[in-house]
Amino acid sequence: GWRIFHACDSNFRGIVSVTESFFPYLPHEDSVSAHFWQATRKKELHIQFCEKCEIFQWYPRSVCISCGRSSISWRKISGRAHIDSWSEVHRAPQDGFVPPYVISRVLLEEKVLFLTRLVGETAIAPQCDSPVTLTWQELSDGRALPVFE
C-alpha cells in the first residue's frame, strides 16, 4: 500500500535504488508552458516573473497570480533550493513509473515552491532544509525534466 512521509518523518528508511529512466510519457506542452519546455532543451530552468508585482510564480499561467495582469516575463533561475517536504512513493500512480522514488517540494532560492523528484544520494536519505541543486532527466523528444539532487 501507500507509504507516505512528509517533512522529517523519523520512520523513513530511504529507497533501495534510484531509477534514471523514470518518466514513462511525454509531458503536455501548450502555449503557456512552451517557453519553459524550450528552455529545458538547453538545460535551463526558467520560471515566470511578474514585471508589475516583481514576484516569481510557478507553475506557468497566462496572468500573474498576485495582480491578475498579463505583464509576465520568463527568467532563468539559479537552480539552487532546499528541501521543504518530501514523500517516498511505493505504489506507482500508473504503469511505467517504477517505485520506490521520492517526490519533493523544494523551496527555490527565488522563494518559489517547486514540486520535483529527488535523485542520487539526496533521494536515499532526504532531510528537511537540506540544500539541493538542479539536474536534468532527458526526455525522448529532446526536452528534459528538472529534478534535484
Side-chain angles (χ1 to χ4, degrees), residues 80-83 106 118 122 127-133 148-149:
R80 292 183 295 274
H82 285 83
I83 295 173
V106 299
L118 296 180
T122 304
Q127 294 185 11
C128 288
D129 299 320
S130 293
V132 289
T133 54
F148 284 77
E149 61 182 359

Side-chain angles (χ1 to χ4, degrees), residues 28-96:
H28 176 71
E29 181 177 332
D30 60 22
S31 62
V32 176
S33 66
H35 180 99
F36 168 78
W37 288 115
Q38 288 306 312
T40 71
R41 292 177 186 278
K42 300 181 289 185
K43 306 289 189 302
E44 294 179 356
L45 183 55
H46 291 201
I47 61 173
Q48 290 179 321
F49 182 81
C50 178
E51 300 295 339
K52 171 78 172 142
C53 299
E54 297 185 344
I55 62 166
F56 286 98
Q57 69 179 22
W58 177 256
Y59 58 90
R61 299 169 178 93
S62 57
V63 297
C64 173
I65 58 175
S66 179
C67 70
R69 297 188 181 187
S70 59
S71 55
I72 301 293
S73 64
W74 290 87
R75 302 263 175 104
K76 181 180 176 182
I77 63 167
S78 69
R80 292 183 295 274
H82 285 83
I83 295 173
D84 178 66
S85 68
W86 51 271
S87 178
E88 180 185 15
V89 179
H90 285 271
R91 185 166 55 181
Q94 68 183 55
D95 290 341

